């Protein structure tokens, strides 16, 4: 109880429940949330990582006020607003045999050893399901806890990776080759979702306005 009430003693007046997928949490949200919280010190944000499908269902149930998802254009129980445009790309070490390829389909690299985020992360679930839809399993050599760690492992020639392009930009110190993914699902634009026909709290609306402005 003391832990729950402590923020209010320090001046917190509002609370926003935000669910987001791995992509958003590891790329855009840290800076965007930092700027929002600096402008709104009276607000706290409870951020949880989930897969996009779970986020949509959670927002529709009212478990979260705001969600950030990828790969969905419509879902009848929520409203969707564009947040960020991004795309999944393959990354390899510069000396890798595939490094000079401009583009490849996921099926062409599915037998390669992969470096991936940890099991349970949204992008891990998505990638494993995509491999399963092709009737096979990925050869996951290493699992790590951040996109930066994926980039470092790939740069060290441990395996190849499938990451958002923005994650590569944030790891500019790593020598990497980028290969476009030909599959249509590689376009992973992020969208903000809210429960349809349900008024938002002023703090949740302020957060959405900030994210859209960013």
């Amino acid at each position: 109880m003391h832990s729950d009430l402590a923020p209010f003693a320090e001046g917190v007046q509002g609370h926003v429940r935000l669910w987001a997928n791995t992509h958003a949490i590891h790329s855009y949200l840290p800076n965007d949330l930092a700027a929002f919280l600096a402008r709104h010190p009276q607000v706290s944000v409870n951020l949880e990582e989930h897969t996009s499908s779970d986020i949509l269902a959670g927002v529709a149930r009212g478990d979260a006020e705001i969600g950030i998802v990828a790969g969905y254009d419509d879902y009848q129980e929520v409203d969707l607003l564009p947040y960020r445009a991004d795309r999944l790309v393959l990354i390899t070490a510069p000396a890798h045999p595939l490094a000079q390829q401009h583009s490849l389909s996921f099926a062409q690299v599915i037998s390669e050893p992969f470096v991936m985020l940890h099991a349970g992360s949204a992008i891990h679930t998505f990638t494993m399901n995509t491999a399963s839809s092709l009737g096979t399993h990925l050869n996951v050599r290493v699992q790590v806890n951040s996109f930066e760690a994926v980039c470092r492992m790939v740069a060290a020639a441990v395996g190849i990776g499938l990451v958002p392009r923005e994650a590569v930009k944030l790891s500019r110190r790593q020598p990497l080759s980028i290969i476009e993914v030909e599959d249509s699902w590689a376009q992973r634009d992020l969208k903000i979702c809210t429960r349809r026909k349900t008024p938002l709290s002023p703090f949740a609306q302020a957060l959405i306005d900030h994210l859209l402005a960013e």
Side-chain angles (χ1 to χ4, degrees):
M1 182 180 294
H2 176 77
S3 176
D4 290 341
L5 294 177
F8 294 94
E10 296 172 0
V12 172
Q13 300 173 11
H15 185 76
V16 180
R17 291 166 295 159
L18 171 63
W19 287 11
N21 69 348
T22 310
H23 182 176
I25 289 175
H26 285 258
S27 54
Y28 302 105
L29 275 180
N31 288 337
D32 288 353
L33 283 180
F36 173 78
L37 293 172
R39 296 173 190 172
H40 300 272
Q42 78 280 23
V43 180
S44 68
V45 176
N46 180 10
L47 175 62
E48 295 184 23
E49 179 182 332
H50 295 275
T51 63
S52 290
S53 58
D54 286 345
I55 293 167
L56 290 167
V59 170
R61 290 192 306 267
D63 294 340
E65 292 176 274
I66 305 171
I68 298 181
V69 300
Y72 285 85
D73 295 319
D74 188 32
Y75 191 85
Q76 67 179 48
E77 295 180 72
V78 304
D79 293 318
L80 293 164
L81 296 168
Y83 173 43
R84 300 277 188 162
D86 207 347
R87 187 173 180 87
L88 294 176
V89 294
L90 291 163
I91 55 173
T92 73
H96 192 281
L98 297 176
Q100 302 307 313
Q101 297 292 324
H102 177 265
S103 65
L104 292 167
S105 70
F106 188 59
Q108 289 176 286
V109 300
I110 205 163
S111 61
E112 294 286 332
F114 271 77
V115 179
M116 295 185 63
L117 285 190
H118 58 88
S121 64
I123 196 166
H124 182 281
T125 301
F126 172 80
T127 308
M128 298 302 284
N129 287 343
T130 303
S132 180
S133 71
L134 295 174
T136 189
H137 297 282
L138 282 187
N139 173 13
V140 180
R141 179 167 286 179
V142 176
Q143 297 182 60
V144 293
N145 289 321
S146 69
F147 284 129
E148 181 180 2
V150 171
C151 291
R152 292 180 65 184
M153 287 288 181
V154 170
V158 173
I160 69 172
L162 180 69
V163 300
R165 188 186 300 276
E166 183 66 17
V168 184
K169 292 180 182 178
L170 296 174
S171 299
R172 292 172 184 160
R173 294 174 297 174
Q174 306 304 323
L176 295 167
S177 294
I178 301 174
I179 304 168
E180 298 293 335
V181 178
E182 297 172 354
D183 304 81
S184 60
W185 49 255
Q187 188 64 36
R188 301 289 287 171
D189 293 344
L190 296 172
K191 297 181 178 66
I192 298 168
C193 65
T194 58
R195 193 177 187 183
R196 187 162 291 175
K197 297 180 180 179
T198 302
L200 292 169
S201 70
F203 302 108
Q205 186 61 59
L207 176 55
I208 289 176
D209 292 342
H210 173 80
L211 294 177
L212 293 176
E214 291 297 311

